[in-house]
Protein backbone atom coordinates (compact mmCIF):
# COMPACT_ATOMS: atom_id res chain seq x y z
CA UNK A 1 0.00 0.00 0.00
CA UNK A 2 1.75 3.18 -1.19
CA UNK A 3 -0.76 6.02 -0.77
CA UNK A 4 -4.31 7.10 0.09
CA UNK A 5 -5.74 5.37 -2.98
CA UNK A 6 -8.92 4.33 -1.20
CA UNK A 7 -9.86 7.97 -0.69
CA UNK A 8 -10.66 8.21 -4.41
CA UNK A 9 -12.84 5.10 -4.42
CA UNK A 10 -15.17 5.48 -1.42
CA UNK A 11 -15.44 2.86 1.35
CA UNK A 12 -13.26 -0.19 0.49
CA UNK A 13 -14.77 -3.63 0.09
CA UNK A 14 -13.71 -6.60 2.25
CA UNK A 15 -11.20 -7.92 -0.31
CA UNK A 16 -9.37 -4.59 -0.52
CA UNK A 17 -9.26 -4.14 3.27
CA UNK A 18 -7.79 -7.65 3.66
CA UNK A 19 -5.12 -6.91 1.05
CA UNK A 20 -4.23 -3.56 2.71
CA UNK A 21 -3.88 -5.14 6.16
CA UNK A 22 -1.60 -7.87 4.83
CA UNK A 23 0.90 -5.29 3.55
CA UNK A 24 1.25 -3.33 6.81
CA UNK A 25 3.80 -4.36 9.37
CA UNK A 26 2.93 -4.79 13.03
CA UNK A 27 4.25 -1.42 14.21
CA UNK A 28 2.19 0.52 11.65
CA UNK A 29 -0.91 -1.44 12.54
CA UNK A 30 -0.42 -0.51 16.18
CA UNK A 31 -0.18 3.17 15.18
CA UNK A 32 -3.39 2.83 13.14
CA UNK A 33 -5.23 1.26 16.09
CA UNK A 34 -3.92 3.92 18.48
CA UNK A 35 -4.97 6.74 16.14
CA UNK A 36 -8.43 5.15 15.76
CA UNK A 37 -8.91 4.92 19.55
CA UNK A 38 -8.09 8.63 19.92
CA UNK A 39 -9.96 10.02 16.92
CA UNK A 40 -12.97 7.65 16.73
CA UNK A 41 -12.40 7.50 12.96
CA UNK A 42 -13.87 4.36 11.42
CA UNK A 43 -12.31 4.46 7.94
CA UNK A 44 -8.89 2.82 8.02
CA UNK A 45 -7.77 4.35 4.72
CA UNK A 46 -8.43 7.87 6.03
CA UNK A 47 -6.29 7.05 9.09
CA UNK A 48 -3.49 5.71 6.87
CA UNK A 49 -3.65 8.85 4.75
CA UNK A 50 -3.39 11.06 7.86
CA UNK A 51 -0.39 9.10 9.16
CA UNK A 52 1.37 9.11 5.79
CA UNK A 53 0.97 12.89 5.56
CA UNK A 54 3.07 13.06 8.76
CA UNK A 55 5.58 10.37 7.74
CA UNK A 56 4.02 7.86 10.16
CA UNK A 57 4.76 10.14 13.15
CA UNK A 58 1.84 9.26 15.45
CA UNK A 59 2.25 12.25 17.80
CA UNK A 60 2.39 14.71 14.92
CA UNK A 61 -0.69 13.18 13.28
CA UNK A 62 -2.70 13.17 16.53
CA UNK A 63 -1.79 16.79 17.29
CA UNK A 64 -2.79 17.82 13.79
CA UNK A 65 -6.10 15.95 14.12
CA UNK A 66 -6.96 17.57 17.48
CA UNK A 67 -6.06 20.99 16.06
CA UNK A 68 -8.31 20.40 13.04
CA UNK A 69 -5.34 20.68 10.69
CA UNK A 70 -5.72 18.22 7.82
CA UNK A 71 -3.03 19.72 5.63
CA UNK A 72 0.21 17.87 5.06
CA UNK A 73 3.47 19.44 6.28
CA UNK A 74 4.71 21.98 3.68
CA UNK A 75 6.50 20.31 0.79
CA UNK A 76 6.60 20.42 -3.00
CA UNK A 77 3.72 18.37 -4.50
CA UNK A 78 4.88 15.22 -6.22
CA UNK A 79 3.12 15.37 -9.60
CA UNK A 80 4.44 11.99 -10.62
CA UNK A 81 3.00 10.51 -7.41
CA UNK A 82 -0.42 11.99 -8.16
CA UNK A 83 -0.41 10.42 -11.63
CA UNK A 84 0.64 7.14 -10.03
CA UNK A 85 -2.23 7.37 -7.52
CA UNK A 86 -4.71 8.00 -10.34
CA UNK A 87 -3.32 4.95 -12.20
CA UNK A 88 -3.61 2.82 -9.05
CA UNK A 89 -7.21 3.98 -8.73
CA UNK A 90 -7.92 2.64 -12.21
CA UNK A 91 -6.19 -0.65 -11.37
CA UNK A 92 -8.18 -1.07 -8.16
CA UNK A 93 -11.36 -0.21 -10.03
CA UNK A 94 -10.59 -2.89 -12.62
CA UNK A 95 -9.83 -5.43 -9.83
CA UNK A 96 -13.15 -4.77 -8.09
CA UNK A 97 -16.29 -6.85 -8.23
CA UNK A 98 -17.99 -6.52 -11.64
CA UNK A 99 -21.35 -6.74 -9.92
CA UNK A 100 -20.60 -3.56 -7.93
CA UNK A 101 -19.85 -1.15 -10.81
CA UNK A 102 -20.07 2.46 -9.69
CA UNK A 103 -21.86 5.38 -11.23
CA UNK A 104 -19.72 6.96 -14.04
CA UNK A 105 -20.34 10.39 -12.48
CA UNK A 106 -18.71 9.26 -9.21
CA UNK A 107 -15.73 7.88 -11.17
CA UNK A 108 -15.37 11.21 -12.98
CA UNK A 109 -15.49 13.09 -9.68
CA UNK A 110 -12.70 10.94 -8.16
CA UNK A 111 -10.47 11.44 -11.19
CA UNK A 112 -11.06 15.19 -10.96
CA UNK A 113 -10.07 15.12 -7.26
CA UNK A 114 -6.86 13.26 -8.15
CA UNK A 115 -5.96 15.83 -10.82
CA UNK A 116 -6.62 18.70 -8.39
CA UNK A 117 -4.37 17.28 -5.67
CA UNK A 118 -1.19 19.17 -6.67
CA UNK A 119 -3.06 22.49 -6.61
CA UNK A 120 -5.17 22.01 -3.52
CA UNK A 121 -2.68 20.16 -1.35
CA UNK A 122 -3.24 16.66 -0.01
CA UNK A 123 -4.77 17.93 3.24
CA UNK A 124 -7.44 19.97 1.45
CA UNK A 125 -8.19 17.00 -0.79
CA UNK A 126 -8.61 14.72 2.24
CA UNK A 127 -10.87 17.33 3.84
CA UNK A 128 -13.15 17.37 0.79
CA UNK A 129 -13.36 13.59 0.58
CA UNK A 130 -13.94 13.17 4.36
CA UNK A 131 -16.62 15.85 4.27
CA UNK A 132 -18.38 13.97 1.47
CA UNK A 133 -18.29 10.77 3.52
CA UNK A 134 -19.43 12.59 6.73
CA UNK A 135 -17.06 10.56 8.91
CA UNK A 136 -17.11 11.11 12.68
CA UNK A 137 -15.06 14.34 12.62
CA UNK A 138 -18.37 16.23 12.66
CA UNK A 139 -18.42 15.88 16.48
CA UNK A 140 -15.54 18.39 16.60
CA UNK A 141 -17.56 21.09 14.83
CA UNK A 142 -21.13 20.30 15.95
CA UNK A 143 -21.59 21.43 19.56
CA UNK A 144 -25.19 20.24 19.63
CA UNK A 145 -24.06 16.60 19.55
CA UNK A 146 -23.34 15.68 23.15
CA UNK A 147 -20.39 13.28 23.73
CA UNK A 148 -20.98 9.97 25.43
CA UNK A 149 -19.31 10.94 28.74
CA UNK A 150 -18.00 13.92 30.68
CA UNK A 151 -14.36 13.26 29.77
CA UNK A 152 -15.24 13.32 26.08
CA UNK A 153 -17.17 16.57 26.61
CA UNK A 154 -14.18 18.20 28.32
CA UNK A 155 -11.81 17.08 25.54
CA UNK A 156 -14.31 18.28 22.94
CA UNK A 157 -14.44 21.76 24.49
CA UNK A 158 -10.63 22.05 24.60
CA UNK A 159 -10.41 20.80 21.00
CA UNK A 160 -12.98 23.38 19.87
CA UNK A 161 -11.11 26.19 21.65
CA UNK A 162 -7.89 25.00 20.04
CA UNK A 163 -9.53 25.07 16.63
CA UNK A 164 -11.10 28.51 17.02
CA UNK A 165 -8.37 30.39 18.92
CA UNK A 166 -4.63 30.25 18.35
CA UNK A 167 -2.77 30.22 21.64
CA UNK A 168 -2.06 28.18 24.74
CA UNK A 169 -4.80 27.55 27.30
CA UNK A 170 -4.48 26.86 31.04
CA UNK A 171 -4.37 23.26 32.17
CA UNK A 172 -7.88 21.96 32.77
CA UNK A 173 -9.45 18.88 34.34
CA UNK A 174 -10.71 16.45 31.69
CA UNK A 175 -13.73 14.86 33.35
CA UNK A 176 -16.99 15.43 35.17
CA UNK A 177 -17.49 18.14 37.78
CA UNK A 178 -17.38 15.71 40.72
CA UNK A 179 -13.94 14.53 39.57
CA UNK A 180 -12.66 18.13 39.46
CA UNK A 181 -14.14 18.83 42.90
CA UNK A 182 -12.50 15.69 44.26
CA UNK A 183 -9.14 16.74 42.79
CA UNK A 184 -9.40 20.27 44.23
CA UNK A 185 -10.36 18.91 47.64
CA UNK A 186 -7.54 16.38 47.63
CA UNK A 187 -4.93 18.94 46.54
CA UNK A 188 -6.19 21.65 48.90
CA UNK A 189 -6.95 24.12 46.09
CA UNK A 190 -9.87 26.26 45.00
CA UNK A 191 -11.94 25.07 42.03
CA UNK A 192 -12.41 27.59 39.20
CA UNK A 193 -15.46 26.87 37.01
CA UNK A 194 -15.70 28.37 33.53
CA UNK A 195 -18.99 28.04 31.64
CA UNK A 196 -18.44 28.54 27.92
CA UNK A 197 -20.91 29.80 25.33
CA UNK A 198 -20.04 29.33 21.67
CA UNK A 199 -22.44 31.99 20.50
CA UNK A 200 -21.91 34.88 22.92
CA UNK A 201 -20.24 37.89 21.37
CA UNK A 202 -17.79 38.38 24.27
CA UNK A 203 -16.48 34.80 24.29
CA UNK A 204 -13.58 35.42 21.84
CA UNK A 205 -12.38 38.45 23.82
CA UNK A 206 -12.44 36.45 27.08
CA UNK A 207 -10.64 33.38 25.70
CA UNK A 208 -7.92 35.39 23.95
CA UNK A 209 -7.59 38.19 26.51
CA UNK A 210 -7.93 36.24 29.77
CA UNK A 211 -7.55 32.47 29.39
CA UNK A 212 -4.63 32.80 26.96
CA UNK A 213 -2.93 35.56 28.98
CA UNK A 214 0.47 34.28 30.09
CA UNK A 215 0.26 35.56 33.68
CA UNK A 216 -3.29 34.27 34.07
CA UNK A 217 -2.31 30.83 32.73
CA UNK A 218 0.59 30.63 35.14
CA UNK A 219 -1.57 31.72 38.08
CA UNK A 220 -4.32 29.20 37.30
CA UNK A 221 -1.90 26.32 36.72
CA UNK A 222 -0.11 27.01 40.01
CA UNK A 223 -2.99 27.79 42.35
CA UNK A 224 -6.29 26.47 41.01
CA UNK A 225 -8.04 23.46 39.52
CA UNK A 226 -9.80 24.61 36.36
CA UNK A 227 -12.98 22.88 35.17
CA UNK A 228 -14.64 24.09 31.97
CA UNK A 229 -18.01 23.13 30.53
CA UNK A 230 -20.03 24.23 27.53
CA UNK A 231 -23.53 25.49 28.23
CA UNK A 232 -24.61 23.56 25.12
CA UNK A 233 -24.03 20.20 26.83
CA UNK A 234 -25.88 18.45 29.63
CA UNK A 235 -23.55 19.09 32.59
CA UNK A 236 -22.79 22.66 31.53
CA UNK A 237 -26.50 23.41 31.08
CA UNK A 238 -27.19 21.94 34.51
CA UNK A 239 -24.66 24.27 36.11
CA UNK A 240 -26.03 27.18 34.13
CA UNK A 241 -29.34 26.59 35.89
CA UNK A 242 -27.73 26.06 39.31
CA UNK A 243 -25.66 29.22 39.07
CA UNK A 244 -28.57 31.24 37.62
CA UNK A 245 -26.25 32.47 34.89
CA UNK A 246 -27.58 35.60 33.16
CA UNK A 247 -24.75 36.40 30.77
CA UNK A 248 -21.38 35.20 29.54
CA UNK A 249 -18.46 34.74 29.97
CA UNK A 250 -19.08 33.22 33.42
CA UNK A 251 -16.58 32.31 36.16
CA UNK A 252 -17.23 30.88 39.62
CA UNK A 253 -14.74 30.15 42.41
CA UNK A 254 -15.67 27.15 44.56
CA UNK A 255 -14.46 25.84 47.89
CA UNK A 256 -14.68 22.04 47.94
CA UNK A 257 -15.47 20.44 51.30
CA UNK A 258 -14.33 16.82 51.77
CA UNK A 259 -16.07 14.16 53.80
CA UNK A 260 -19.63 15.49 53.86
CA UNK A 261 -22.68 15.47 51.63
CA UNK A 262 -24.35 18.68 50.60
CA UNK A 263 -28.05 18.93 51.43
CA UNK A 264 -29.99 21.12 49.04
CA UNK A 265 -28.31 21.59 45.68
CA UNK A 266 -28.32 25.33 45.05
CA UNK A 267 -26.13 28.06 43.65
CA UNK A 268 -24.21 28.16 46.93
CA UNK A 269 -23.98 24.43 47.67
CA UNK A 270 -23.26 21.84 44.98
CA UNK A 271 -23.32 18.15 45.83
CA UNK A 272 -20.62 15.91 44.41
CA UNK A 273 -19.90 12.22 44.65
CA UNK A 274 -16.31 11.04 44.51
CA UNK A 275 -16.91 7.89 42.48
CA UNK A 276 -16.21 7.55 38.76
CA UNK A 277 -15.41 10.13 36.12
CA UNK A 278 -11.70 10.35 36.72
CA UNK A 279 -11.91 11.04 40.45
CA UNK A 280 -9.34 9.61 42.78
CA UNK A 281 -10.09 6.29 44.36
CA UNK A 282 -10.74 6.10 48.09
CA UNK A 283 -12.10 9.66 48.37
CA UNK A 284 -15.13 10.50 50.46
CA UNK A 285 -18.03 12.51 49.07
CA UNK A 286 -17.32 16.16 48.35
CA UNK A 287 -19.56 19.22 48.41
CA UNK A 288 -18.66 22.49 46.72
CA UNK A 289 -19.50 25.95 48.05
CA UNK A 290 -19.57 28.96 45.73
CA UNK A 291 -17.43 31.70 47.29
CA UNK A 292 -17.38 34.11 44.36
CA UNK A 293 -18.55 34.63 40.79
CA UNK A 294 -17.93 36.99 37.87
CA UNK A 295 -19.79 37.26 34.59
CA UNK A 296 -20.31 39.50 31.63
CA UNK A 297 -18.07 42.27 30.44
CA UNK A 298 -16.30 42.53 33.79
CA UNK A 299 -14.21 39.46 32.92
CA UNK A 300 -12.95 40.49 29.49
CA UNK A 301 -9.52 41.69 30.71
CA UNK A 302 -7.10 39.83 32.99
CA UNK A 303 -6.63 42.59 35.61
CA UNK A 304 -10.10 42.52 37.22
CA UNK A 305 -10.20 38.72 37.03
CA UNK A 306 -6.81 38.44 38.74
CA UNK A 307 -7.83 40.97 41.42
CA UNK A 308 -11.09 39.10 42.04
CA UNK A 309 -9.35 35.72 42.28
CA UNK A 310 -6.60 36.87 44.65
CA UNK A 311 -8.94 38.81 46.96
CA UNK A 312 -11.50 35.99 47.15
CA UNK A 313 -8.85 33.33 47.72
CA UNK A 314 -7.28 35.46 50.46
CA UNK A 315 -10.67 35.91 52.16
CA UNK A 316 -11.36 32.18 52.24
CA UNK A 317 -7.81 30.89 52.73
CA UNK A 318 -8.50 30.16 56.40
CA UNK A 319 -11.41 27.92 55.37
CA UNK A 320 -9.12 26.10 52.94
CA UNK A 321 -6.55 25.63 55.71
CA UNK A 322 -9.26 24.31 58.06
CA UNK A 323 -10.39 21.82 55.43
CA UNK A 324 -6.80 20.73 54.83
CA UNK A 325 -6.40 20.06 58.55
CA UNK A 326 -9.77 18.29 58.62
CA UNK A 327 -8.71 16.14 55.67
CA UNK A 328 -5.47 15.20 57.40
CA UNK A 329 -7.34 14.37 60.62
CA UNK A 330 -9.85 12.29 58.66
CA UNK A 331 -6.98 10.41 57.06
CA UNK A 332 -5.42 9.76 60.45
CA UNK A 333 -8.77 8.57 61.83
CA UNK A 334 -9.23 6.28 58.85
CA UNK A 335 -5.79 4.78 59.32
CA UNK A 336 -6.44 4.35 63.04
CA UNK A 337 -9.74 2.59 62.40
CA UNK A 338 -8.07 0.35 59.85
CA UNK A 339 -5.34 -0.50 62.32
CA UNK A 340 -7.90 -1.20 65.04
CA UNK A 341 -9.80 -3.45 62.66
CA UNK A 342 -6.64 -5.33 61.79
CA UNK A 343 -5.82 -5.73 65.47
CA UNK A 344 -9.32 -7.01 66.18
CA UNK A 345 -9.15 -9.56 63.38
CA UNK A 346 -5.74 -10.71 64.53
CA UNK A 347 -6.97 -11.08 68.11
CA UNK A 348 -10.05 -12.97 66.96
CA UNK A 349 -8.01 -15.37 64.87
CA UNK A 350 -5.54 -15.85 67.69
CA UNK A 351 -8.40 -16.63 70.10
CA UNK A 352 -9.85 -19.22 67.71
CA UNK A 353 -6.52 -20.94 67.36
CA UNK A 354 -5.61 -20.79 71.03
CA UNK A 355 -7.00 -24.16 72.16
CA UNK A 356 -5.48 -26.30 69.44
CA UNK A 357 -2.17 -24.44 69.56
CA UNK A 358 -1.81 -24.20 73.34
CA UNK A 359 1.15 -26.55 73.51
CA UNK A 360 2.93 -24.90 70.63
CA UNK A 361 2.31 -21.47 72.15
CA UNK A 362 3.83 -22.57 75.48
CA UNK A 363 6.90 -23.86 73.69
CA UNK A 364 7.27 -20.58 71.85
CA UNK A 365 6.86 -18.62 75.07
CA UNK A 366 9.46 -20.74 76.83
CA UNK A 367 11.85 -20.37 73.93
CA UNK A 368 11.22 -16.63 73.81
CA UNK A 369 11.84 -16.36 77.54
CA UNK A 370 15.04 -18.33 77.23
CA UNK A 371 16.26 -16.13 74.39
CA UNK A 372 15.27 -12.97 76.24
CA UNK A 373 17.13 -14.14 79.32
CA UNK A 374 20.15 -14.88 77.17
CA UNK A 375 19.98 -11.45 75.53
CA UNK A 376 19.55 -9.80 78.92
CA UNK A 377 22.61 -11.59 80.24
CA UNK A 378 24.59 -10.52 77.19
CA UNK A 379 23.47 -6.90 77.66
CA UNK A 380 24.44 -6.96 81.32
CA UNK A 381 27.82 -8.41 80.45
CA UNK A 382 28.36 -5.72 77.82
CA UNK A 383 27.38 -3.01 80.31
CA UNK A 384 29.75 -4.46 82.92
CA UNK A 385 32.66 -4.53 80.49
CA UNK A 386 31.86 -1.02 79.31
CA UNK A 387 31.81 0.22 82.90
CA UNK A 388 35.12 -1.42 83.67
CA UNK A 389 36.67 0.03 80.52
CA UNK A 390 35.35 3.48 81.43
CA UNK A 391 36.82 3.22 84.91
CA UNK A 392 40.15 2.09 83.50
CA UNK A 393 40.14 4.93 80.97
CA UNK A 394 39.33 7.39 83.76
CA UNK A 395 42.25 6.13 85.84
CA UNK A 396 44.58 6.53 82.86
CA UNK A 397 43.35 10.07 82.31
CA UNK A 398 43.75 10.93 85.99
CA UNK A 399 47.34 9.64 85.90
CA UNK A 400 47.97 11.62 82.71
CA UNK A 401 46.97 15.00 84.11
CA UNK A 402 49.10 14.60 87.22
CA UNK A 403 49.16 17.08 90.08
CA UNK A 404 48.22 20.75 89.76
CA UNK A 405 51.40 22.84 89.40
CA UNK A 406 52.08 25.73 91.83
CA UNK A 407 51.76 29.32 90.64
CA UNK A 408 54.75 30.61 88.76
CA UNK A 409 55.95 32.39 85.59
CA UNK A 410 55.49 29.30 83.35
CA UNK A 411 52.05 28.42 84.72
CA UNK A 412 48.70 29.25 83.12
CA UNK A 413 45.66 29.90 85.29
CA UNK A 414 42.32 28.88 83.74
CA UNK A 415 38.84 29.41 85.12
CA UNK A 416 36.06 27.14 83.80
CA UNK A 417 32.30 27.69 83.93
CA UNK A 418 30.16 24.56 83.43
CA UNK A 419 26.66 24.46 81.91
CA UNK A 420 25.12 24.08 85.38
CA UNK A 421 26.77 27.33 86.51
CA UNK A 422 29.53 25.77 88.59
CA UNK A 423 32.93 27.43 88.30
CA UNK A 424 36.29 25.72 88.71
CA UNK A 425 39.82 27.22 88.62
CA UNK A 426 42.99 25.23 87.92
CA UNK A 427 46.61 25.89 86.96
CA UNK A 428 48.39 24.21 84.03
CA UNK A 429 51.89 24.33 82.62
CA UNK A 430 52.02 26.80 79.73
CA UNK A 431 53.26 24.11 77.33
CA UNK A 432 50.36 21.76 78.09
CA UNK A 433 47.91 21.25 75.24
CA UNK A 434 44.19 21.88 74.77
CA UNK A 435 43.77 18.11 74.86
CA UNK A 436 45.29 18.00 78.36
CA UNK A 437 42.83 20.64 79.54
CA UNK A 438 39.89 18.61 78.13
CA UNK A 439 41.25 15.49 79.85
CA UNK A 440 41.20 17.35 83.18
CA UNK A 441 37.63 18.48 82.55
CA UNK A 442 36.50 14.94 81.69
CA UNK A 443 38.01 13.63 84.94
CA UNK A 444 36.43 16.46 86.90
CA UNK A 445 33.00 15.75 85.39
CA UNK A 446 33.30 12.03 86.14
CA UNK A 447 34.34 12.69 89.75
CA UNK A 448 31.45 15.11 90.29
CA UNK A 449 28.75 13.15 88.40
CA UNK A 450 28.37 15.69 85.59
CA UNK A 451 26.54 14.18 82.62
CA UNK A 452 28.99 15.42 79.99
CA UNK A 453 30.12 12.68 77.63
CA UNK A 454 31.48 14.93 74.85
CA UNK A 455 32.59 18.42 75.81
CA UNK A 456 34.17 21.43 74.21
CA UNK A 457 35.68 24.68 75.47
CA UNK A 458 35.32 28.21 74.17
CA UNK A 459 35.94 31.80 75.16
CA UNK A 460 33.74 34.86 74.76
CA UNK A 461 36.51 37.52 74.51
CA UNK A 462 37.70 36.79 71.95
CA UNK A 463 34.84 34.54 70.78
CA UNK A 464 36.57 31.30 69.83
CA UNK A 465 36.17 27.54 70.03
CA UNK A 466 39.27 25.56 70.97
CA UNK A 467 39.01 22.41 68.89
CA UNK A 468 42.67 21.70 68.09
CA UNK A 469 43.75 19.40 70.90
CA UNK A 470 47.39 19.57 69.83
CA UNK A 471 47.81 23.34 70.38
CA UNK A 472 49.60 24.46 73.54
CA UNK A 473 48.09 27.02 75.88
CA UNK A 474 50.62 29.58 74.72
CA UNK A 475 49.94 28.90 71.02
CA UNK A 476 46.18 29.34 71.36
CA UNK A 477 46.51 32.53 73.45
CA UNK A 478 45.33 31.23 76.84
CA UNK A 479 48.55 32.03 78.74
CA UNK A 480 48.95 33.41 81.38
CA UNK A 481 45.25 33.25 82.31
CA UNK A 482 41.82 32.97 80.70
CA UNK A 483 38.14 32.36 81.40
CA UNK A 484 36.56 29.51 79.44
CA UNK A 485 33.09 28.03 79.00
CA UNK A 486 32.58 24.28 79.05
CA UNK A 487 30.00 23.20 76.41
CA UNK A 488 28.06 19.96 76.12
CA UNK A 489 28.55 18.95 72.48
CA UNK A 490 25.81 16.30 72.76
CA UNK A 491 23.16 18.81 73.79
Amino acid sequence: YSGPVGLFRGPPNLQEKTRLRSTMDESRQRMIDEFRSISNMAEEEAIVAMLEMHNWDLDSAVNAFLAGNFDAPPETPDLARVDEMATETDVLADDGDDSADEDPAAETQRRELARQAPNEGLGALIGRVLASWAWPLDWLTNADKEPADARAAARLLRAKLGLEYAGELPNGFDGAFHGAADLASGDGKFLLVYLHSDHHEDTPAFVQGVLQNEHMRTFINSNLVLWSASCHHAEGASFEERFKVTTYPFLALLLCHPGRRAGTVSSNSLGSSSSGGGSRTGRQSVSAEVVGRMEGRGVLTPEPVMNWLTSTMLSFQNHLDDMRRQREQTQRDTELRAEQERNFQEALEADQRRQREAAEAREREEEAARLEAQRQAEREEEERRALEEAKAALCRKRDAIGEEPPAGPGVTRLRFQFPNGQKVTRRFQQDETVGSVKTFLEVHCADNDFALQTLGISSSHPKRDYDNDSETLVECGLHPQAALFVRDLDA
Side-chain angles (χ1 to χ4, degrees), residues 185-189 258 317-330:
S185 174
D187 290 349
K189 293 184 178 181
Q317 185 62 43
N318 57 334
H319 296 278
L320 197 65
D321 294 339
D322 290 342
M323 286 191 297
R324 184 181 295 110
R325 287 190 289 269
Q326 176 188 353
R327 184 174 61 255
E328 294 172 353
Q329 182 61 46
T330 301

Side-chain angles (χ1 to χ4, degrees), residues 74-93:
E75 61 179 63
T76 303
D78 189 348
L79 302 182
R81 179 65 194 131
V82 173
D83 292 339
E84 181 183 349
M85 291 193 307
T87 302
E88 292 180 1
T89 302
D90 295 336
V91 173
L92 286 177

Side-chain angles (χ1 to χ4, degrees), residues 17-91:
K17 292 183 70 174
T18 303
R19 182 179 63 82
L20 291 173
R21 282 184 178 274
S22 66
T23 60
M24 297 178 185
D25 59 23
E26 184 179 352
S27 62
R28 289 193 174 185
Q29 187 60 51
R30 283 198 301 269
M31 283 192 282
I32 291 172
D33 295 339
E34 180 70 16
F35 191 96
R36 179 184 291 111
S37 68
I38 295 173
S39 65
N40 293 326
M41 290 174 60
E43 294 297 335
E44 184 166 293
E45 290 189 306
I47 297 176
V48 171
M50 196 72 175
L51 289 169
E52 285 199 339
M53 280 198 306
H54 294 272
N55 296 323
W56 290 90
D57 185 335
L58 179 60
D59 291 340
S60 176
V62 169
N63 291 335
F65 170 81
L66 294 178
N69 178 17
F70 308 115
D71 289 328
E75 61 179 63
T76 303
D78 189 348
L79 302 182
R81 179 65 194 131
V82 173
D83 292 339
E84 181 183 349
M85 291 193 307
T87 302
E88 292 180 1
T89 302
D90 295 336
V91 173

Side-chain angles (χ1 to χ4, degrees), residues 217-450:
R217 288 200 321 271
T218 303
F219 181 82
I220 292 176
N221 293 340
S222 302
N223 301 282
L224 301 168
V225 173
L226 173 64
W227 180 74
S228 305
S230 172
C231 64
H232 304 294
H233 296 285
E235 193 166 25
S238 173
F239 275 87
E240 181 183 37
E241 175 63 24
R242 295 184 189 183
F243 288 124
K244 308 298 181 187
V245 178
T246 58
T247 185
Y248 289 90
F250 178 86
L251 293 174
L253 193 64
L254 278 64
L255 190 62
C256 300
H257 302 271
R260 76 183 194 191
R261 295 190 182 275
T264 303
V265 178
S266 66
S267 60
N268 290 327
S269 180
L270 303 173
S272 169
S273 170
S274 66
S275 62
S279 63
R280 299 178 178 181
T281 59
R283 296 285 188 196
Q284 297 182 356
S285 58
V286 174
S287 65
E289 175 187 359
V290 180
V291 297
R293 54 185 284 167
M294 288 189 76
E295 55 189 315
R297 294 188 175 274
V299 299
L300 297 185
T301 55
E303 290 78 8
V305 177
M306 183 69 76
N307 292 336
W308 165 68
L309 286 174
T310 53
S311 62
T312 306
M313 292 169 63
L314 184 61
S315 300
F316 288 87
Q317 185 62 43
N318 57 334
H319 296 278
L320 197 65
D321 294 339
D322 290 342
M323 286 191 297
R324 184 181 295 110
R325 287 190 289 269
Q326 176 188 353
R327 184 174 61 255
E328 294 172 353
Q329 182 61 46
T330 301
Q331 179 65 23
R332 288 194 293 269
D333 293 343
T334 301
E335 294 174 354
L336 178 60
R337 287 193 296 270
E339 183 179 0
Q340 290 173 342
E341 179 65 21
R342 288 193 301 270
N343 293 337
F344 173 78
Q345 292 296 333
E346 292 173 359
L348 181 61
E349 293 174 1
D351 185 63
Q352 292 173 347
R353 294 192 304 267
R354 186 169 293 112
Q355 290 184 350
R356 68 176 182 270
E357 296 178 352
E360 183 180 349
R362 284 194 298 271
E363 291 177 1
R364 288 196 300 268
E365 291 174 358
E366 292 173 358
E367 179 65 15
R370 185 186 66 79
L371 293 176
E372 179 60 25
Q374 180 180 347
R375 287 193 293 267
Q376 181 63 28
E378 292 174 353
R379 287 194 295 268
E380 292 176 354
E381 178 62 20
E382 291 178 358
E383 292 175 357
R384 184 189 63 78
R385 288 198 299 267
L387 183 60
E388 291 180 356
E389 291 176 359
K391 290 181 179 179
L394 184 62
C395 291
R396 291 192 296 271
K397 291 179 180 180
R398 185 177 288 107
D399 295 339
I401 59 177
E403 298 292 334
E404 180 179 10
V411 175
T412 301
R413 182 174 178 271
L414 299 179
R415 185 181 66 180
F416 304 97
Q417 181 171 335
F418 290 85
N420 63 356
Q422 182 183 13
K423 297 179 180 180
V424 174
T425 301
R426 192 184 188 279
R427 295 182 299 274
F428 297 86
Q429 297 293 341
Q430 65 178 3
D431 56 353
E432 290 191 62
T433 63
V434 172
S436 300
V437 175
K438 291 181 179 179
T439 299
F440 161 75
L441 294 173
E442 291 172 355
V443 173
H444 180 81
C445 290
D447 292 341
N448 292 273
D449 296 328
F450 287 172

